Every structure is written in C-alpha cells, then in structure tokens.
Amino acid sequence: MRCPVTNKVHTEVHGICSPRQSYSKFGGELITRYTKYIDNKTASRLLGIPTSILYRIDYNELKKKFSFYKTERLSIGEISFKRGHRYATILFDYDRNKVLRVERGRKIDNAKTALEQINDCNLKVVTVDFWLSYEKAVKELFPRADIVYDYFHLSRILNCKIEEERRDICLYHCPNVSDTGNLRV
C-alpha cells in the first residue's frame, strides 16, 4: 500500500511470503521439489517461469535450508563429471551422510569457494584425498581442523607399493620369471 502523505510503499506482514520476496513460501518449496527430480530448464518450462528466476528462487530456498548447517566431520574430494579430465570438488558431511556442496573444478580456488560456504567454527576433522590443493585450502580456512587422509586413496597407494616390492623380490629371487609372472624361455 502506498501512503498518500509520505508516498512510501508499506507492506503488510501476512505470512505467505518473506519480506521483500516476489514469491510465496509455497512457490519456493514447490520449485525445490521440482528441481530435486528434474533439471532447472525443464522445471522452468513446466511451471512457466523464466529460467533465470527459477535459478534465483531455487538458490535462495536451498540457501535458507542449509544456512544453519553445522558439521564436525567433513570430507572433500573430486568427482569426474565428463569424459576427459573435467572434475568437480565435492564436500560431504560424514555425520549426516549428505553432500553439502559441489563446485566445478579441483583447483585451490574451487576448494576455497566450496569451503567458504560452510562457515563452520566447529569443524574438527576434514578427510581429504592426496590432492595438495584441498589440503592447502583446508589449512588456510580451518587451521584448527585435523586433516585425515582418505582410506581409499591410502590403501591404493599402499597396495601399489606392496605390488612393486613383490615384483622386485620375485625378479631378484626368480630371474626366469617375467614381470607378469610368466616363465621366460
């Protein structure tokens, strides 16, 4: 409503939407439900909303849901999302078994961008693989957090070293056996 004396616009709090928002709470929930199962372009066509507005509403609603999110144990690693060497940085909460953030790329800037969204002073343990960028980003943003190396990557490295030792011992003690285990003639 516009005040005839001051010419200012006054809004009434009615509970349908948050102040200064152009969509209702139900509309925001509906959009996040749709985008949970289908991509944003399809959801925008289905709902008759421009894609840019749908992206903004989806982002704002998800930000509200995860703004209170606190975690003590976090994992950071990379996933491959296309053929070739195209990676994304992924943050995962161990305690709640949820993906917190996915950031395109696996450089130190991508890791910092993803970790800055957490803003958690209670972070105690961060599990990383052996990618140096992730370790540097964690040390810089969360200096008190303990860094633990990922079991999968650690066991892979140990298995490779054991295999190298096995081959060296085999070649030393059995000179007639090739690297593949077959007898040389």
Side-chain angles (χ1 to χ4, degrees):
M1 296 177 64
R2 187 175 295 276
C3 177
V5 178
T6 61
N7 203 25
K8 289 185 179 179
V9 176
H10 298 280
T11 58
E12 186 176 327
V13 178
H14 46 68
I16 296 172
C17 66
S18 301
R20 297 187 181 129
Q21 258 185 348
S22 59
Y23 59 93
S24 67
K25 292 177 183 176
F26 174 74
E29 289 177 20
L30 179 72
I31 286 172
T32 54
R33 282 190 197 148
Y34 272 107
T35 56
K36 183 177 179 180
Y37 298 108
I38 58 176
D39 63 302
N40 288 350
K41 289 182 182 180
T42 307
S44 71
R45 276 188 260 130
L46 186 65
L47 296 170
I49 301 172
T51 310
S52 59
I53 293 174
L54 188 123
Y55 274 110
R56 182 178 50 84
I57 293 171
D58 191 33
Y59 176 78
N60 289 340
E61 290 297 311
L62 291 173
K63 192 174 177 181
K64 279 187 225 172
K65 284 184 180 181
F66 295 110
S67 63
F68 62 89
Y69 207 73
K70 299 288 181 193
T71 182
E72 290 184 353
R73 298 187 306 160
L74 181 74
S75 177
I76 182 169
E78 79 269 350
I79 55 171
S80 175
F81 64 92
K82 281 196 173 183
R83 285 188 183 167
H85 295 284
R86 297 192 183 187
Y87 295 97
T89 299
I90 186 166
L91 293 180
F92 186 79
D93 182 1
Y94 268 7
D95 298 326
R96 293 176 184 86
N97 201 21
K98 292 195 182 259
V99 173
L100 299 178
R101 181 124 176 115
V102 178
E103 189 73 32
R104 193 174 289 234
R106 64 175 181 170
K107 295 183 180 178
I108 192 165
D109 295 333
N110 306 115
K112 282 183 184 178
T113 303
L115 286 168
E116 284 170 351
Q117 301 298 319
I118 299 299
N119 288 335
D120 198 347
C121 58
N122 296 331
L123 195 62
K124 294 179 182 173
V125 178
V126 180
T127 303
V128 297
D129 54 12
F130 287 89
W131 194 249
L132 192 58
S133 300
Y134 297 153
E135 189 176 339
K136 285 181 181 179
V138 169
K139 283 181 180 177
E140 194 172 314
L141 294 174
F142 301 104
R144 293 183 185 171
D146 294 331
I147 295 176
V148 177
Y149 293 104
D150 187 4
Y151 174 76
F152 170 76
H153 291 88
L154 183 63
S155 65
R156 190 187 77 195
I157 290 170
L158 290 174
N159 283 335
C160 288
K161 293 297 179 186
I162 290 170
E163 183 65 21
E164 285 177 17
E165 285 296 317
R166 185 195 64 78
R167 286 182 181 173
D168 290 344
I169 290 170
C170 187
L171 287 174
Y172 180 75
H173 291 293
C174 306
N176 293 340
V177 178
S178 70
D179 291 346
T180 59
N182 297 328
L183 284 173
R184 290 186 206 153
V185 182

